[in-house]
Amino acid sequence: MGEDAELVPVEIVGVRQHLADEEIVVLLLDPDSELLVPILIGPAEASAIASAQAGIVPPRPMTHDLLRDVLIATGSGLSRVEITRLEDGVFHAELVLRTGPRVDSRASDAIAMALRFGCPVLCSAEVVAVAGVEVRTTTSEQDLERFRRFLDVVTPEDFTTGVEPDDQGGAEGR
């Protein structure tokens, strides 16, 4: 990837399956822009990502575990993962080894490796802008937050006296 391309840190939200069409995606969140980047992945990659997120250690190393062990054994390790570009609907990534080399990778494999190493995942700002979808707070989440604010100011006496807490305390919706 070119040195001048801007990279932003993203969080691995998790793996989700769309029930209607059975597509599986891994979701990456750019918290600064509040954009969610969905990457279509296969079931094997979904399993590798989900098991790493859950902290499941298989009795025998799976492919990503084996690659991690090889990198550690050779003294290389993994510094970070970069989602570098999106071409014709395909996300491209690179593993950036601690010793300096960069290795071309599928985005799903790179994410599975990042989870195993506990290293950052960076994404091209351009990819986030093109593929990202806006994170929207649902009405139920907004209602829950409003209720939490209400609980912060309400007292037991408010329920016995019939007097509501004053609006200066931050309670809303009356």
Side-chain angles (χ1 to χ4, degrees), residues 9-125:
V10 292
E11 299 170 9
I12 305 165
V13 175
V15 175
R16 303 290 187 270
Q17 182 170 7
H18 190 270
L19 297 177
D21 53 18
E22 297 184 17
E23 288 184 335
I24 304 171
V25 295
V26 61
L27 300 172
L28 303 178
L29 174 66
D30 173 4
D32 290 339
S33 68
E34 294 187 352
L35 292 175
L36 202 57
V37 178
I39 300 175
L40 191 63
I41 61 174
E45 294 78 10
S47 176
I49 292 168
S51 64
Q53 277 192 309
I56 297 170
V57 178
R60 300 288 300 142
M62 300 301 284
T63 305
H64 297 96
D65 304 304
L66 177 63
L67 181 54
R68 177 202 57 215
D69 294 347
V70 168
L71 288 173
I72 291 170
T74 60
S76 209
L78 185 62
S79 175
R80 69 183 176 276
V81 162
E82 297 177 0
I83 311 294
T84 56
R85 64 189 188 281
L86 175 61
E87 290 180 8
D88 300 322
V90 177
F91 290 85
H92 296 258
E94 293 180 352
L95 304 176
V96 181
L97 304 183
R98 285 198 177 124
T99 53
R102 301 170 80 84
V103 180
D104 184 36
S105 174
R106 295 185 309 173
S108 56
D109 290 327
I111 293 165
M113 292 301 296
L115 287 167
R116 282 160 176 76
F117 275 95
C119 69
V121 176
L122 304 174
C123 189
S124 158

Side-chain angles (χ1 to χ4, degrees), residues 106-172:
R106 295 185 309 173
S108 56
D109 290 327
I111 293 165
M113 292 301 296
L115 287 167
R116 282 160 176 76
F117 275 95
C119 69
V121 176
L122 304 174
C123 189
S124 158
E126 182 180 345
V127 169
V128 171
V130 169
V133 293
E134 186 177 335
V135 176
R136 294 192 178 140
T137 305
T138 65
T139 302
S140 61
E141 289 171 339
Q142 291 168 343
D143 290 343
L144 183 58
E145 182 57 33
R146 190 176 308 126
F147 183 63
R148 284 185 178 138
R149 286 194 308 267
F150 168 75
L151 290 176
D152 288 340
V153 298
V154 71
T155 65
E157 292 78 30
D158 294 329
F159 294 102
T160 59
T161 64
V163 177
E164 294 181 322
D166 70 79
D167 287 335
Q168 293 178 354
E172 296 178 10

